[in-house]
Amino acid sequence: MRPGVVALASASLLVLGATPGGGPPQPLPARMADTGGGSQLITAVAPKTGSTSGTVTWWDRVDGQWVKNGSTPARFGAKGLVEGASRKQSTNTTPTGLYGLPYAFGIEAAPRGTAYEYRRVHRDSWWCQDNDSRAYNRWTEPLARDCRAAESEHLISYGALYAHALVIGFNYERPVKGRGAGIFLHVKGRGATAGCVSVPREAMRKIVRWVDPVRAPHIAIGTESGLTAITRY
């Protein structure tokens, strides 16, 4: 077989998850370039960049092997997905990439058994999205003086959507103004999101109970193939 054909066949095997020896498909995390170094991983996969729906799966690394813990249908941004490093704010796109999960929050109390840091939403809880504010892409309670309410999310006003949520660490450690703020994994509503990833309420409760800070959970967001393939992150 010609070298080019061999390379093409190998690439196809990686995309499909098959093993060269014809064994069972490798689990998705085993095919990824990076999983964050912990023993818990959430994968959020859409068929292609223009998709607004896909699948969220959460995984445990047990005895050196990745094992699926649960899976659920998911929604993405109304304008699909885009490479996180080039995303722009207010584009209704979900950023692809591998991210940490700084903490959980919710309008409702944390589900019984939650071990993750969990912030309860109050009447004066906001998420600042004002590019002119020092509190950009941060929880602020009360609203920071230099953060305009019109450029922020009043968290309690989101009702059932923010009953429970996890902060996705996109543009979080060293925020770049204009790239985007307030990207969460949260309870799904009637349709696509403004850039977050959303899942059914019961699935969100399971995920919040499941994440363990000792196990350094991360989330990887991507497509099935192409330049934003989840296996590249």
Side-chain angles (χ1 to χ4, degrees):
M1 186 179 289
R2 298 191 310 277
V5 176
V6 173
L8 180 59
S10 299
S12 298
L13 287 169
L14 287 174
V15 170
L16 296 174
T19 55
Q26 291 181 309
L28 175 57
R31 293 180 278 124
M32 292 174 57
D34 188 6
T35 57
S39 59
Q40 287 187 325
L41 179 70
I42 300 170
T43 55
V45 185
K48 54 186 179 181
T49 54
S51 302
T52 61
S53 61
T55 304
V56 159
T57 305
W58 49 108
W59 307 81
D60 292 297
R61 189 167 177 80
V62 181
D63 296 329
Q65 302 293 324
W66 285 103
V67 180
K68 181 189 295 187
N69 187 290
S71 188
T72 187
R75 297 303 303 267
F76 298 95
K79 297 296 183 180
L81 297 83
V82 69
E83 174 63 49
S86 59
R87 184 184 186 270
K88 295 182 179 180
Q89 188 163 324
S90 303
T91 55
N92 290 336
T93 53
T94 298
T96 62
L98 176 68
Y99 306 106
L101 298 163
Y103 55 88
F105 70 90
I107 292 173
E108 297 182 9
R112 186 184 299 272
T114 298
Y116 221 62
E117 178 185 349
Y118 190 94
R119 298 186 183 181
R120 191 75 181 270
V121 173
H122 302 110
R123 291 282 175 189
D124 56 353
S125 302
W126 295 76
W127 195 275
C128 182
Q129 298 181 351
D130 187 342
N131 283 284
D132 296 326
S133 174
R134 289 173 295 178
Y136 179 71
N137 202 21
R138 287 291 186 273
W139 176 297
T140 171
E141 189 175 319
L143 184 65
R145 290 186 177 182
D146 68 344
C147 187
R148 292 169 290 177
E151 298 293 325
S152 304
E153 289 191 1
H154 190 200
L155 298 177
I156 203 165
S157 69
Y158 283 76
L161 298 181
Y162 289 173
H164 307 290
L166 276 165
V167 176
I168 294 175
F170 166 73
N171 200 30
Y172 189 80
E173 292 300 325
R174 295 178 179 85
V176 175
K177 303 294 181 67
R179 183 163 291 170
I183 301 297
F184 311 129
L185 174 63
H186 65 75
V187 177
K188 85 177 181 65
R190 294 182 178 179
T193 73
C196 295
V197 180
S198 66
V199 295
R201 174 187 171 89
E202 190 51 41
M204 191 68 236
R205 289 178 60 85
K206 288 180 180 178
I207 292 170
V208 171
R209 285 195 299 265
W210 167 79
V211 286
D212 183 346
V214 175
R215 300 179 63 190
H218 285 70
I219 184 169
I221 305 169
T223 52
E224 292 178 358
S225 60
L227 295 177
T228 53
I230 196 166
T231 50
R232 300 186 66 205
Y233 299 111

